[in-house]
Amino acid sequence: MSTRRASSFVHGCDPGRRRRAKAVRAAAVAVLVVVAAVGATGCGVEDGTTGGAHRGAGPNERQTLRGNVVVSAAASLTDVFEELADRFERAHPGVRVDLDAGSSTALATRILEGAPADVFASADPASMERVESAGLVERPHAFAGNELAIVTRPGNPHGITGLADLAGHRSAGGRTPFAGAERHSGSRGSGEGVGVGIVALCAESAPCGRYTAALLERSGVTIPEGSITRGQDARATLAAVAEGDAAAGVVYRSDARAAGDRVATVDIAGADAVRAEYLIAAVRNSRHRDVARSFVDLVRSDEGRSLLEDAGFTRP
Amino acid sequence: MGALLAVAFLGLPLAGLLQRASWSTLWADLTSEQSLEALRLSLVTSLAAAAVAVLLGTPLAWILARTEVPGRSVIRGLVLLPMVVPPVVGGVALLSAFSLRSPIGGWLHDVFGLQLTFSTAGAVLAAAFVAMPFLVLTVEGALRGMDERYERVAAGLGADRFTVFRRVTLPMIGPSLAAGAVLAWARALGEFGATITFAGNVAGRTRTLPLAVYLELESDPQAAVALSVALLAVSLAVLVVLRDRWWVRS
């Protein structure tokens, strides 16, 4: 779980100039100046109102946004939300977005215990329902979907083709040097009795862990607990394969894409039977609810959606 | 006033933990299958790590205190480093040294079939890495504070170096060695960052108490609090055992 400060300085825009512009009192003038500045520097985005019909923004309400907001987002959203936060900060120079990424379950628990979040983006409806039923968030919106995929070491040295291969059924086959790829990996893959070695899965409490359990059950595959390392969220699980020694892991398709060539991706047959559903909502007692809503709007806008799709997420 | 704030700052979280614990189910939470497994694993790995620290750290402390080896300050820096570096960074460093993809880790696996990552041995290694400095510093301090003349007399009477160490030095630094070992053990027991980074989180193999606490905080907060209370009790016991060193004498 990392809190990150998205800096607008690295992107070649001059925040100071727009911050000065923003200080102009009259709202109308400020809007004009900001629009002009954004247009001139060419690094702005639309105001985030694309999907924001519920705001009912009259001309007088369209004042400049300001304030620091914390966006608590499922770990799998990290890259997309970092990019969106950067764009949001560039479009609204008075705004700072801090991203708090982690397992949706943990984030929901923290919000329930009073952690100061302004936006909550969950990787499953259950986590969102926990905070919603406590009356802590505004109406949630589904904004993306995801599917699970297997990631392996680059080149897929164990020749994994599906979930069943993760359960250690192939221990004998994996040991026999019948294929070039197997031979190439030498003896490294052959643990005692376990086919491919350690498999990284999400903790059962995290949404990706629940999705994985559901998919394994549907597939009739049982992986012995002793050969599973549990990551606290999707990205920790990914790291066990991308940076560590886990032979394979089950993560979201978007995670697999984010890891690039550090992993090989293996499609899971029937993965679409268990689809992750992402929901986002502004937190009710946020001190900057207008900023929070505007960020939600940006995520749900065409711009947000296309970023999400580029990253491997599906439409909601 | 500042002191009062400091006491409150240190004391309130502990009070909060104790207040949050559900005492009626504490025993059941602590003796659940997962808890016992983590408890057993934590005992094994922390004791093994403390043993490693004693076996490797004592000679190192002796060299630092008694000899003029070149690069002693560099060695001292290396000893201190695990104390100040974030444990997660230590885990990443261990990973780059001993993962299957690293030269050493790959060699260990190819020649001996040994894999440290995701193994209990790896958890011991991670814990020993962060715990060793506590032992080395404690023992080195004792060696420096000890009157060297006893050793010189023993040597003058014909004892060889090892005999001097065993019959003279060791008995004199014994209490400090024990204190250092307890400190190292306590640090190993609480080790989290290097362990989860390097050894992973495998039930029964590397999921020690702190990892179980962290994981169960999301799914079963009550169990997590119970395990935390258990760890707190152990820490208090360590303080009581070492009270002569820190409380009474000063």
Side-chain angles (χ1 to χ4, degrees), chain A residues 1 103 105-106 109 113 153 187-189 198 203 205-206 225-230 232 240-246, chain B residues 20 95 98-102 106-107 109-110 113 115 117-118 196 199-203 205-207 214-215 217-219:
Chain A
M1 301 178 198
S103 137
T105 313
T109 303
E113 296 196 347
R153 295 188 202 162
S187 58
R188 292 191 184 182
I198 289 286
S205 59
E225 195 62 36
S227 58
I228 299 174
T229 185
R230 297 268 179 195
Q232 68 269 29
V241 182
E243 323 291 343
D245 278 341
Chain B
R20 212 182 134 168
L95 211 51
F98 297 114
S99 85
L100 293 183
R101 296 176 221 188
S102 70
W107 179 79
H109 188 269
D110 288 345
Q115 179 179 344
T117 47
F118 303 119
I196 199 167
N201 177 20
V202 185
R205 278 209 246 171
T206 69
R207 187 176 302 158
Y214 182 57
L215 228 75
L217 201 53
E218 293 172 16
S219 54

Side-chain angles (χ1 to χ4, degrees), chain A residues 49-104:
Chain A
T49 48
T50 325
H54 68 271
R55 277 185 72 201
N60 291 333
E61 273 181 80
R62 288 206 46 173
Q63 51 200 331
T64 38
L65 299 171
R66 53 163 54 228
N68 298 351
V69 289
V70 174
V71 174
S72 290
S76 46
L77 294 166
T78 306
D79 320 78
V80 175
F81 271 40
E82 275 179 1
E83 175 63 27
L84 282 170
D86 278 347
R87 296 188 185 192
F88 192 67
E89 285 180 333
R90 270 179 275 157
H92 306 284
V95 167
R96 194 178 113 174
V97 179
D98 288 329
L99 191 60
D100 181 18
S103 137
S104 301

